[in-house]
Amino acid sequence: MSNHLPDLKSLISHIALHNSEHAYEQLFRYLFPSLYRFCFYLLKSRELAEEAASDVMITIWRSREKLPEVRNIKVYAFVIARNLSLNVLSKHSRQEWISIDDLDLEIILDNPNPEQLLINDELKKKLERATEALPSQCKLVFKLIKEDGLSYKETASILNISVKTVDAHLVSAIKKLTALLKAEFNLS
């Protein structure tokens, strides 16, 4: 994701009212990387994640006339991505129901921003190891809020849980990360 945040309302308007492929390309460049990462965490396959993220963008294009009714395009896209990913997992595992809690999620802190550029490699590795130790739902909440920059409310909508549950998971994740990192650096 670039530092330049597109005017989503304007893009959606151009896509919905004028079938603007240029506006759609901008929306695609803005949404696709986050959707791909999200699908990859769920599906553990670059190929399946790329396919699912592409399917989300195709779904958005196909339903473009209805886009002005969508209150939050990012949440809308992530919910479609979640549903498509869970469908793929369901097909591949022959299970009728898959809970996000049952998924083995991996967090990769690779979104370079000024703060992370200051963190040396050793600290980054320790933070990644500590993050890996989190329960899967905690990891996913942590990833959506801290890596993808979603709000508590957006994260709750995407995961179909309450804002209080999102908060509880984030507080739990941060407490566990703090404890693990303090232990790692022998701090009391």
Side-chain angles (χ1 to χ4, degrees):
M1 216 168 16
S2 68
N3 293 339
H4 174 67
L5 199 64
D7 177 1
L8 294 177
K9 285 193 187 302
S10 172
L11 288 181
I12 288 166
S13 170
H14 281 82
I15 293 166
L17 303 177
H18 309 293
N19 293 327
S20 170
E21 289 183 25
H22 176 69
Y24 175 75
E25 285 171 20
Q26 286 182 277
L27 184 67
F28 187 97
R29 280 196 305 274
Y30 173 70
L31 288 176
F32 188 84
S34 293
L35 292 171
Y36 170 80
R37 273 197 315 271
F38 180 70
C39 292
F40 182 74
Y41 290 123
L42 296 175
L43 298 171
K44 292 289 181 253
S45 159
R46 293 187 189 286
E47 188 179 314
L48 291 174
E50 193 168 321
E51 192 177 311
S54 295
D55 286 349
V56 172
M57 296 309 300
I58 290 167
T59 301
I60 288 172
W61 177 255
R62 285 186 179 150
S63 60
R64 61 191 173 276
E65 311 81 38
K66 296 179 182 161
L67 288 181
E69 300 163 22
V70 174
R71 279 204 303 251
N72 185 326
I73 189 71
K74 211 168 175 184
V75 169
Y76 177 74
F78 271 95
V79 168
I80 294 170
R82 178 199 66 196
N83 293 341
L84 287 174
S85 296
L86 292 177
N87 287 344
V88 168
L89 287 169
S90 178
K91 278 183 206 161
H92 282 99
S93 69
R94 301 185 204 281
Q95 290 179 359
E96 287 185 23
W97 170 251
I98 294 181
S99 166
I100 287 178
D101 291 327
D102 298 334
L103 300 176
D104 181 28
L105 299 170
E106 181 183 332
I107 299 285
I108 302 165
L109 300 172
D110 66 348
N111 213 6
N113 63 38
E115 293 165 285
Q116 285 175 337
L117 293 175
L118 296 174
I119 297 175
N120 65 29
D121 282 343
E122 188 59 30
L123 177 58
K124 188 175 177 187
K125 285 175 189 158
K126 287 179 180 184
L127 188 56
E128 284 176 359
R129 281 196 300 272
T131 306
E132 281 310 305
L134 293 173
S136 55
Q137 188 87 335
C138 274
K139 265 194 273 192
L140 192 52
V141 166
F142 183 81
K143 177 218 158 320
L144 289 170
I145 291 174
K146 296 299 183 187
E147 189 176 313
D148 289 322
L150 295 171
S151 71
Y152 283 35
K153 191 174 181 181
E154 290 168 331
T155 301
S157 294
I158 290 164
L159 299 179
N160 201 19
I161 57 178
S162 73
V163 173
K164 282 187 176 187
T165 304
V166 168
D167 184 53
H169 281 305
L170 193 62
V171 166
S172 172
I174 290 169
K175 278 184 183 172
K176 287 176 181 169
L177 288 175
T178 302
L180 286 166
L181 290 172
K182 278 184 178 177
E184 194 76 46
F185 289 103
N186 298 319
L187 301 171
S188 51

